[in-house]
Amino acid sequence: MADFNSINVEGCWDSDKVGCSATQSTGRSGGLLSMWDPTKYIVSETIKSRHFLITIGNWLGIPGDTIMVNIYGPHAPVEKKQLWNDLLQIKRAKQGTWIIFGDFNTARRSEERFRLHFCPSSAFHFNLFITEVGLHDIKMGGNRFTYCCQTDFKLSKLDRFLVCDNFLNLFPSVSITALPRELSDHCLIALRTSLPDFGKPPFRFFNSWMLRDGFDDLVQKAWADFRGFGTPDTYLKSKLKFIKNEIKKWRATDHPKEMQELQQIKARMQELDLAAESRDLNDSEIEERRLGFKKIIELEKFALSDIKQRAKIKWTVDGDENSSFFHGFINNKKKEELYSWTLN
């Protein structure tokens, strides 16, 4: 957009309480827009340039000024060097907790480029600026590259957060994540100042359970027996939680019985092997031994399958303490079809 005033800023925020500042676009170079919650971040001063937008104010909970620098780096190496010099002078003049973020249009290392030219000179001056200003480039999770050229699929890491020592001292658990790119050619990047609380440990569903006798009937009965009320989403959540609890009850009784059966069969196999050393086994004992080994293989195969699945899958849960993560099947004919629900 050529004119910032045509942007519906309130429509980009989750409430009507929003502070904002912007710089207009210049030619084909896009402008900058910063938004904040005025009840938590009270801005007292702004500094604007073609390539940066600085807001200085009080962020509740942080002593002194918090200085947010929204960056849109230039393409020309000479202009990049001038940008770093300008920010260095402002940094020396303005004391506070510094957070610099945005599209720097510069990669720090060659591995931050894929199928794109890497400029060692621009990287050198960028890294020198980070060192002189005393900033930290926190390791980013999620996507490795933040920019993708859609026409020929060239990748680069151009977007990042740079924070000062004071910020790290206040928030030692800070994390940065590059989110899915979706429609834009750039990733959104999110900074979190605390570790997420995933609530209670997730409910783990193992595929081998669907091969056990009686599991189909258990799920079908639980699905039919549930009685609930509420909106469709809360009703579905309660129904799945009910089924989960029924499966947990089944496993609480079925697993000990399974382990006991396995130990008894192994003990019986040992008895038959010792007997075979002193006499010939009769036909019934030979058949018992054959079926016993078959049962041992079946039960241990289930256990091995569960161990492999536990090692492969990273189970996560998102939400409050009442959240649950449920994997189950909902197809009576094809047990191999597995569905997942995340309940918030």
Side-chain angles (χ1 to χ4, degrees), residues 56-296:
I56 304 173
N58 178 252
W59 183 359
L60 296 184
I62 297 182
D65 287 334
T66 299
I67 302 168
M68 303 275 197
V69 185
N70 191 348
I71 291 284
Y72 181 61
H75 291 277
V78 175
E79 293 183 354
K80 291 178 183 179
K81 187 176 179 180
Q82 183 60 47
L83 172 60
W84 311 142
N85 289 333
D86 292 343
L87 290 175
L88 180 59
Q89 297 304 317
I90 298 173
K91 174 68 167 58
R92 289 171 175 171
K94 302 289 184 180
Q95 301 300 316
T97 301
W98 279 71
I99 307 169
I100 305 179
F101 55 90
D103 178 4
F104 291 82
N105 255 321
T106 304
R108 297 191 62 189
R109 292 171 287 273
S110 59
E111 55 266 28
E112 293 182 350
R113 295 274 194 175
F114 179 72
R115 300 177 65 183
L116 277 168
H117 172 69
F118 173 70
C119 180
S121 176
S122 294
F124 170 78
H125 290 294
F126 185 34
N127 289 323
L128 181 62
F129 160 74
I130 294 174
T131 301
E132 290 182 337
V133 176
L135 297 174
H136 300 274
D137 185 5
I138 302 172
K139 184 177 180 181
M140 184 182 296
N143 290 359
R144 178 183 172 188
F145 301 101
T146 64
Y147 168 76
C148 173
C149 181
Q150 304 289 3
T151 55
D152 46 10
F153 205 72
K154 296 178 180 179
L155 302 172
S156 185
K157 182 179 179 180
L158 303 179
D159 309 82
R160 63 185 80 235
F161 277 93
L162 302 175
V163 299
C164 66
D165 289 330
N166 188 46
F167 185 86
L168 288 182
N169 292 333
L170 291 167
F171 305 106
S173 299
V174 64
S175 63
I176 297 174
T177 306
L179 304 176
R181 187 173 295 105
E182 298 186 353
L183 298 179
S184 175
D185 55 359
H186 283 263
C187 293
L188 296 173
I189 53 175
L191 179 147
R192 291 185 175 89
T193 55
S194 60
L195 294 174
D197 181 9
F198 292 113
K200 294 181 178 179
F203 168 61
R204 295 174 177 176
F205 182 96
F206 293 97
N207 298 341
S208 65
W209 296 355
M210 294 186 290
L211 304 177
R212 286 170 164 81
D213 294 337
F215 185 78
D216 289 24
D217 296 335
L218 169 75
V219 175
Q220 292 175 23
K221 185 176 185 303
W223 188 272
D225 290 348
F226 175 75
R227 298 293 181 269
F229 58 89
T231 58
D233 55 344
T234 57
Y235 178 86
L236 177 61
K237 174 183 176 179
S238 300
K239 190 167 190 175
L240 295 177
K241 189 174 182 180
F242 175 78
I243 297 173
K244 179 193 76 172
N245 290 332
E246 292 299 304
I247 294 175
K248 289 175 70 174
K249 292 178 184 177
W250 167 74
R251 281 302 291 169
T253 57
D254 180 78
H255 184 66
K257 289 180 180 178
E258 201 172 84
M259 292 298 100
Q260 183 180 8
E261 181 184 9
L262 180 61
Q263 295 302 322
Q264 289 175 347
I265 294 174
K266 286 184 176 181
R268 179 56 178 163
M269 293 299 99
Q270 181 67 15
E271 291 179 5
L272 293 174
D273 286 347
L274 291 175
E277 293 179 0
S278 57
R279 64 176 177 85
D280 293 333
L281 300 181
N282 57 44
D283 292 341
S284 62
E285 289 174 330
I286 293 174
E287 180 65 13
E288 181 185 2
R289 191 174 183 275
R290 186 185 68 82
L291 294 176
F293 273 114
K294 183 178 179 181
K295 188 65 175 179
I296 290 173

